[in-house]
Amino acid sequence: MLIKKAEDQVLPFQSTLFFDLPELHQLSAQHFVNTHFPLSRHTPPSFNRVNKNILRIAYISPDFGQHPVSYLTAELFELHDRNQFEVFGVSLSNRPDDPYRLRIKNAVDRWLGNPPINN
């Protein structure tokens, strides 16, 4: 099969519609991840806690930017009580900065993610 030879790619969830072989589902998912989410070459962040009385919250999304998720959650990131919470934004995409992405970057205490791509 072309999927086994890595010559063709089926989206992971769609693969479950086309065939009932778990090993092909896994191969499809692995090809997708390797193609769309290469390993980051960035130095891992350090997480030394300064204040142990503050709860850390990380929001993780590939959709920070002009996207319905951002429209609904941008204010949420801004409203956390910084005396009680340290807020992280973890971006799984490297989409270009746009007004909503910049708003979220400014609303969180720490931003972790790939640098934006240039259009």
Side-chain angles (χ1 to χ4, degrees), residues 62-71 74 91 93-107 111 114-119:
D63 299 322
F64 292 133
Q66 296 284 43
H67 188 277
V69 171
S70 295
Y71 304 155
S91 177
S93 68
N94 60 345
R95 64 175 55 206
D97 283 343
D98 58 50
Y100 266 89
R101 188 174 176 91
L102 291 172
R103 180 178 174 187
I104 292 169
K105 279 184 171 181
N106 290 325
W111 178 261
N114 294 324
I117 56 174
N118 296 320
N119 280 348

Side-chain angles (χ1 to χ4, degrees), residues 13-60:
F13 288 115
Q14 290 177 344
S15 71
T16 62
L17 300 173
F18 299 132
F19 33 82
D20 189 23
L21 296 169
E23 59 273 7
L24 290 181
H25 298 164
Q26 182 177 6
L27 280 174
S28 175
Q30 286 172 336
H31 292 316
F32 182 82
V33 168
N34 292 338
T35 302
H36 296 286
F37 301 100
L39 291 176
S40 174
R41 303 285 183 234
H42 300 286
T43 306
S46 93
F47 292 102
N48 297 327
R49 282 188 107 163
V50 175
N51 186 342
K52 295 188 190 277
N53 295 323
I54 292 180
L55 182 64
R56 290 176 153 179
I57 300 174
Y59 292 95
I60 304 168

Side-chain angles (χ1 to χ4, degrees), residues 82-98:
R82 293 312 200 261
N83 294 316
Q84 295 182 22
F85 303 100
E86 182 178 10
V87 180
F88 291 74
V90 181
S91 177
L92 300 178
S93 68
N94 60 345
R95 64 175 55 206
D97 283 343
D98 58 50

